[in-house]
Amino acid sequence: MQTRIKYKVNYKQDKWLYILPILLSVLGLIFIYSASSYTANKTFNDQFYFLKKQGYAFIVGIVFMIFFRKVSLDKLRKFSLPFYILSIVLLLLVFVPGIGVENYGAKRWLNFGLFTIQPSELAKFALVFLLADYMSCHDMDSFFNVAVCLLFGGIMCVSIILEPNMSITVCVGLVLITMILLGGAKLNHFFAVLVPCVLLIPLLIIIEPYRLERLRAFINPWNDVLGEGYQLIQSYYSLASGGLFGVGLFNSRQKYMFLPFAESDFIFAIIGEEIGFVGASLVALLFLKYMFEGFKVAKRAVNRFDCYLAMGITLVITFQSILNIAVVCGAIPPTGLPLPYISSGGSSLVCFLVASAILQNISARANSTQKFLTP
């Protein structure tokens, strides 16, 4: 008689998986208000404008979080390919007049009247979901299977870079390559993929003049103080002003329209200015803690799909937070990439909260008790 396994899911899982996304999101609300209040008042005559938008997204994210932490992962897995296809369609819709929204020369948003979304935020996790599904069913020792995963990732990266959005493309590429490597790909297959990808980066920089300008500004921002180097210099001023313990919460001076995108891509500079090196380091440690918790979930997962999915979600959070902080600190060339959970952006916040819920779901199944039943 055949035996089947039924899991009784235990939702009393790791407390940090609940605490960290909520804590980071609340910190985001605080610093978004601090960073944007002056600009919002000048532009929209409402100092709470960006805070309200982020607050609404936070509420929506919590509702989705409650749902996805208990939804069946096996049922959700069946939608991995449709989810991926939908994300590609949404990425291409940004080029449709009347729906796609262009801002600062990039078409990255879709306008649905009552709300706007940024498809690339959804696309990162759609790719992770599809890769987890495919890799769990196929032997990654095979170069063919590695090539299939690269095809999935390549289509996604091309769709994003056309916006153009190189920062998200780099993040997706890093997640893609790391998942393939950790999934068991042979080193010779891995390096056969890595070398062309590394050679492609200079080409992507050269074909777009603004990227070359940003690279020059990164090398020496003082050569173009009022141009491409301006934002990075203002970020330096913000971080330097903070010193060890900061100038005090809500007391930033750079937020008075000196630092562009202070509430979004460069919010970490405001954090460093207001609560100093110590406070900014604690925020960075929260992301580090989240990384360890995410990989712990992947390690304890009950099957390969859960393992790869937890690993992929954790990699997205890790790489995106590292890249954002590195840009603000001047360690890599400036690029527009939000800090997960903290930067202003409703699409980003909702997607990351849903990703957190799925991590909680995977952890719950890992903590589950097994009942052996016979049909």
Side-chain angles (χ1 to χ4, degrees):
M1 187 176 289
Q2 189 177 8
T3 301
R4 61 188 177 91
I5 300 175
K6 183 177 180 180
Y7 293 99
K8 183 179 179 181
V9 179
N10 174 17
Y11 288 100
K12 295 179 180 179
Q13 69 266 48
D14 304 322
K15 61 182 180 181
W16 282 109
L17 293 178
Y18 290 100
I19 294 172
L20 288 169
I22 301 300
L23 178 58
L24 288 168
S25 299
V26 171
L27 284 173
L29 291 172
I30 294 170
F31 283 103
I32 285 168
Y33 169 71
S34 178
S36 69
S37 57
Y38 179 79
T39 305
N41 194 46
K42 291 278 289 184
T43 308
F44 303 102
N45 199 29
D46 181 4
Q47 63 178 330
F48 300 104
Y49 178 79
F50 290 102
L51 176 62
K52 288 175 183 176
K53 290 183 66 176
Q54 194 76 356
Y56 296 147
F58 180 63
I59 293 170
V60 172
I62 292 297
V63 172
F64 281 130
M65 202 174 177
I66 293 169
F67 172 76
F68 279 99
R69 67 178 286 269
K70 290 195 175 184
V71 72
S72 169
L73 289 171
D74 294 324
K75 291 180 181 178
L76 201 61
R77 180 177 180 177
K78 296 176 183 178
F79 294 95
S80 60
L81 184 57
F83 183 31
Y84 173 84
I85 294 172
L86 174 63
S87 68
I88 296 294
V89 171
L90 291 175
L91 284 170
L92 296 177
L93 277 177
V94 300
F95 300 104
V96 177
I99 301 177
V101 178
E102 184 172 347
N103 206 357
Y104 297 101
K107 296 179 179 179
R108 301 177 184 176
W109 297 268
L110 293 175
N111 185 2
F112 291 107
L114 294 176
F115 60 93
T116 60
I117 66 169
Q118 190 172 354
S120 57
E121 294 295 337
L122 186 69
K124 293 176 294 191
F125 296 106
L127 178 62
V128 164
F129 214 90
L130 184 63
L131 289 177
D133 186 19
Y134 187 87
M135 289 167 58
S136 62
C137 300
H138 297 83
D139 183 6
M140 294 306 292
D141 278 347
S142 164
F143 186 75
F144 175 79
N145 291 327
V146 171
V148 170
C149 291
L150 287 173
L151 178 62
F152 291 145
I155 293 172
M156 184 72 75
C157 287
V158 170
S159 301
I160 296 172
I161 198 68
L162 288 174
E163 293 182 344
N165 193 338
M166 188 172 180
S167 54
I168 296 292
T169 305
V170 170
C171 183
V172 169
L174 288 172
V175 172
L176 169 68
I177 292 172
T178 308
M179 283 190 70
I180 290 173
L181 179 61
L182 296 178
K186 292 180 179 178
L187 283 178
N188 58 334
H189 294 166
F190 174 71
F191 285 113
V193 172
L194 184 62
V195 171
C197 289
V198 171
L199 294 176
L200 185 62
I201 292 175
L203 178 63
L204 291 174
I205 294 173
I206 293 170
I207 61 176
E208 286 286 354
Y210 81 91
R211 292 181 189 138
L212 198 56
E213 290 299 320
R214 285 186 176 181
L215 181 60
R216 290 183 184 135
F218 163 70
I219 295 171
N220 189 354
W222 306 100
N223 280 341
D224 192 8
V225 175
L226 298 178
E228 285 294 336
Y230 177 80
Q231 189 172 33
L232 185 56
I233 291 171
Q234 296 303 316
S235 180
Y236 287 157
Y237 285 155
S238 188
L239 292 171
S241 299
L244 196 59
F245 298 106
V247 297
L249 190 61
F250 307 126
N251 291 331
S252 166
R253 292 182 289 271
Q254 292 302 110
K255 69 181 180 182
Y256 292 106
M257 303 186 79
F258 291 107
L259 178 63
F261 306 108
E263 75 283 351
S264 55
D265 300 340
F266 276 74
I267 197 167
F268 192 75
I270 301 299
I271 293 173
E273 182 181 4
E274 294 193 343
I275 59 177
F277 175 79
V278 173
S281 297
L282 289 175
V283 172
L285 286 174
L286 290 177
F287 283 107
L288 186 63
K289 174 66 175 175
Y290 208 166
M291 181 189 72
F292 284 124
E293 292 298 322
F295 283 125
K296 275 171 57 180
V297 172
K299 184 178 180 180
R300 300 197 325 265
V302 297
N303 55 47
R304 291 177 67 193
F305 172 73
D306 286 14
C307 174
Y308 292 143
L309 184 56
M311 181 175 66
I313 290 171
T314 305
L315 287 172
V316 171
I317 296 170
T318 302
F319 282 134
Q320 189 158 329
S321 56
I322 289 173
L323 289 172
N324 177 275
I325 293 172
V327 165
V328 171
C329 296
I332 60 175
T335 182
L337 191 67
L339 186 61
Y341 302 100
I342 294 180
S343 289
S344 177
S347 300
S348 176
L349 180 60
V350 171
C351 287
F352 276 105
L353 286 174
V354 170
S356 300
I358 293 175
L359 268 181
Q360 295 166 10
N361 201 331
I362 295 169
S363 178
R365 190 147 77 162
N367 294 338
S368 63
T369 55
Q370 297 179 5
K371 287 186 177 181
F372 295 87
L373 306 173
T374 55

